[in-house]
Amino acid sequence: MTTLVLVAHGTRSPRGVEMIAALAEQVSARVDTVHVAFVDVLGPSPAEVLRRCPGETVVVPAFLASGFHVHNDVPREVAESGHDAIVVTDAMGPDPRLARVMVERLRAAGWRPGDAVVLAAAGSSDHRALLDVRRAAGMLADRVGQRVEIGYVATGSPKVSEVIERVRRQGAKRVFVASYLLAHGLFQQRLDDAGADGVADPLGVHPDVVGLLVDRFRAGARLLDQAALRNGTMSSSRPD
């Protein structure tokens, strides 16, 4: 049996914590064992969880862009755990399936083709994460068939409110925010005050999000199988 450790950022929002738990529960319906860990704000930490995970383990970073947490915090936590049968997968995003979810969330918020769209991301000081956000915006633009602007909620510029003001000056009659956030929390709350005509819900618990996490797990499990074959052993069967 291979264990999945889902590593999220962490939030003080009870609603956000509940959403991560609900997401893990839905993933667990398709994966044998799922544990949740957080790199910031609350625990348990990935190292704490990994120390309790016997056997082969796949760590899936539940991040929409690969910045400091993915490139630094997660590897450090893995090293501190001392776990020696582990694979860390790619982060969740960017991915075309997430763009599909964002379009669905936008439509639910009242967006119509022709309305301006601003993709709102948390932001990062890591250029790799910013590149991922630009790729995500490009995927969303392909879906909506028009240009998508980018604004940041926390780290980085321009801020979401500044982008909304700019596109209004450029003639947009209605402006909608596509939330490139995983769960409800402080950042999502800030979007409500950014001055848009509508704000989409975060990605949250959605079949495409669940499927993406399961696919990341299975890719990691295949790598563990390949390592076992090279070492002359074979691990237990994987979930279909």
Side-chain angles (χ1 to χ4, degrees), residues 111-130:
W111 174 85
R112 299 189 299 268
D115 295 335
V117 176
V118 178
L119 182 145
S124 174
S125 58
D126 191 312
H127 72 278
R128 294 166 294 188
L130 300 181

Side-chain angles (χ1 to χ4, degrees), residues 159-207:
K159 301 301 183 187
V160 175
S161 59
E162 296 170 345
V163 177
I164 293 172
E165 290 176 2
R166 172 164 54 81
V167 296
R168 287 198 191 281
R169 290 196 302 269
Q170 293 171 345
K173 295 181 179 179
R174 301 210 314 163
V175 184
F176 282 76
V177 171
S179 175
Y180 196 54
L181 302 171
L182 184 58
H184 283 279
L186 176 61
F187 290 168
Q188 182 69 24
Q189 293 172 10
R190 290 178 179 174
L191 297 182
D192 293 332
D193 300 322
D197 294 283
V199 177
D201 283 339
L203 295 166
V205 181
H206 186 282

Side-chain angles (χ1 to χ4, degrees), residues 29 35 37-38 43 70 84 95 101 123 128 138 162-163 182 223 229 233:
H35 298 294
F38 300 96
V70 173
D84 59 359
D95 190 276
V101 177
R128 294 166 294 188
E162 296 170 345
V163 177
L182 184 58
L223 291 176
L229 286 171
T233 61

Side-chain angles (χ1 to χ4, degrees), residues 19-102:
M19 194 233 75
I20 296 296
L23 186 60
E25 182 179 1
Q26 291 207 17
V27 171
S28 69
R30 298 169 61 182
V31 174
D32 287 330
T33 305
V34 179
H35 298 294
V36 176
F38 300 96
V39 297
D40 201 1
V41 181
L42 71 164
S45 70
E48 291 170 333
V49 171
L50 288 169
R51 292 188 191 107
R52 302 196 297 265
C53 293
E56 295 180 339
T57 303
V58 175
V59 173
V60 179
F63 290 86
L64 303 178
S66 295
F68 184 85
H69 292 307
V70 173
H71 291 292
N72 295 82
D73 286 340
V74 172
R76 173 179 50 78
E77 292 280 343
V78 169
E80 290 178 0
S81 74
H83 204 300
D84 59 359
I86 189 168
V87 163
V88 180
T89 74
D90 291 338
M92 291 178 63
D95 190 276
R97 285 167 286 189
L98 299 180
R100 189 162 59 214
V101 177
M102 280 191 283

